[in-house]
Amino acid sequence: MEFARNKTVRGIDLYYEHYQNPDAKETLVLLHGFLSSSFSFRHLIPLLKEDYNVISVDLPPFGKSGKLSSFKYSYKNLAATVVELMKSLGIREFNVVGHSMGGQIAMNILLHHPDHAKKGILLCSSGYLKKASLPLVLSSYIPYFHLYVKFHLARSGVKQNLQNVVYDHSMINDEMLYGYLSPFFEDDIFKALTMMIRHREGDLSAEELRKIKAPCLLIWGEHDKVVPVRIGRKLNNDLKHSELVILKDTGHLVPEERPEDVHQLINRFIVAEETVEATANGSR
């Protein structure tokens, strides 16, 4: 059974897609990257839903979720919002899959809500980024600053951004361009992005990452220009129970570029960890 709907969580309208598999034992929660939405998982979801319950969330202020200026867009609050959504759906335990910025929010969930997040799958996850500089944060208080944000994003262009995140440019088509452009047709998102600049607390430190006990699978594109492989290697070193897999001839947008490989790697990881858990429980 599949459905998409909006639910008010922590005062904001949260859009999510729920793909229910009655035979599945595990639930995967998908979190997209910056300037993206559930659209980025459109090739991966049809594969995952055959084996798992799948919930894809549009993180505010992106996609079809709310874009309120009154919401706190810190990673810690976004992580808590996702967990609260899961609780409201009666899902106490889940595995979290995060791409790019979504990976950083996934790690916030793993750190701050360890009773709910069992395992993490990090796809080219952002890492070690500092909080926005003080001048930029102060600039966000200038009236109409959101128009500068809009101008900056318009100048860079969706097509140019996509060329930066995929290795094979021939895969960029009209459907892809429109899918990533459509959320930016309304001005409300630029006001919310201004608040995100103001609220973002910076990525988890190495010390915080070492406190994460959950097993993590890191999947990276060999030619990732946005979050280079060296970040993946550093995360793999700081996370206690992790494995790094590097995909050849792949850029930053691994859910789009290599959905079949990502699906197989997730399956292998989940099954392997279930075997470890069963062995550990049997030895007690």
Side-chain angles (χ1 to χ4, degrees):
M1 189 169 78
E2 306 170 7
F3 59 85
R5 63 180 54 168
N6 287 67
K7 191 178 186 75
T8 300
V9 181
R10 292 197 159 217
I12 199 160
D13 200 24
L14 203 61
Y15 172 84
Y16 66 97
E17 298 173 2
H18 195 174
Y19 303 85
Q20 294 177 312
N21 183 335
D23 299 321
K25 296 179 181 178
E26 300 282 347
T27 296
L28 300 182
V29 176
L30 311 185
L31 305 177
H32 60 81
F34 186 66
L35 301 181
S36 189
S37 68
S38 294
F39 178 81
S40 64
F41 294 118
R42 71 192 187 282
H43 298 310
L44 184 58
I45 288 173
L47 304 174
L48 293 176
K49 71 180 185 179
E50 296 301 315
D51 303 299
Y52 308 99
N53 291 308
V54 178
I55 299 174
S56 184
V57 182
D58 278 5
L59 296 165
F62 303 110
K64 298 175 184 177
S65 282
K67 297 157 179 60
L68 297 175
S69 297
S70 57
F71 183 77
K72 186 165 185 178
Y73 295 96
S74 69
Y75 287 170
K76 188 174 182 180
N77 191 48
L78 286 167
T81 302
V82 171
V83 172
E84 194 166 317
L85 171 66
M86 295 305 110
K87 288 181 183 178
S88 74
L89 297 176
I91 300 170
R92 176 167 176 77
E93 291 186 326
F94 55 88
N95 306 289
V96 60
V97 181
H99 174 245
S100 197
M101 179 195 77
Q104 188 59 217
I105 294 170
M107 287 187 284
N108 269 266
I109 294 174
L110 294 170
L111 175 64
H112 298 296
H113 307 275
D115 292 340
H116 299 289
K118 298 167 63 180
K119 306 175 188 72
I121 296 100
L122 309 175
L123 312 176
C124 301
S125 172
S126 61
Y128 309 101
L129 294 173
K130 302 298 183 185
K131 182 177 180 179
S133 66
L134 183 59
L136 183 57
V137 172
L138 292 175
S139 297
S140 72
Y141 288 90
I142 297 173
Y144 305 110
F145 180 79
H146 69 281
L147 296 178
Y148 169 78
V149 175
K150 182 177 182 178
F151 170 75
H152 175 76
L153 292 174
R155 184 174 58 184
S156 61
V158 172
K159 186 170 185 178
Q160 184 178 328
N161 286 336
L162 285 174
Q163 288 174 340
N164 194 47
V165 297
V166 299
Y167 177 71
D168 180 7
H169 292 178
S170 68
M171 69 180 293
I172 300 173
N173 55 27
D174 288 343
E175 179 201 9
M176 196 173 182
L177 285 168
Y178 182 79
Y180 284 99
L181 177 63
S182 59
F184 301 97
F185 289 152
E186 299 178 11
D187 280 349
D188 282 353
I189 190 170
F190 301 106
K191 295 176 182 177
L193 285 173
T194 297
M195 303 308 293
M196 180 169 258
I197 291 170
R198 193 179 301 172
H199 296 157
R200 197 180 73 81
E201 69 273 53
D203 293 346
L204 295 177
S205 66
E207 292 74 22
E208 290 172 311
L209 291 169
R210 292 182 192 120
K211 294 177 182 177
I212 293 175
K213 297 178 181 179
C216 292
L217 171 64
L218 284 63
I219 304 176
W220 236 265
E222 178 187 27
H223 300 283
D224 192 335
K225 297 177 183 177
V226 180
V227 186
V229 174
R230 61 179 172 81
I231 298 297
R233 292 196 174 101
K234 190 174 180 183
L235 283 171
N236 191 40
N237 182 63
D238 285 332
L239 292 165
K240 283 188 174 181
H241 307 289
S242 64
E243 173 193 1
L244 173 64
V245 177
I246 299 171
L247 301 176
K248 293 185 177 299
D249 299 329
T250 309
H252 180 65
L253 208 56
V254 290
E256 290 263 13
E257 296 178 82
R258 303 287 289 275
E260 292 85 2
D261 292 306
V262 171
H263 173 231
Q264 290 176 10
L265 288 167
I266 289 175
N267 278 354
R268 190 197 74 184
F269 172 66
I270 296 290
V271 170
E273 288 302 322
E274 285 176 344
T275 303
V276 169
E277 288 172 5
T279 303
N281 291 333
S283 63
R284 288 174 186 171

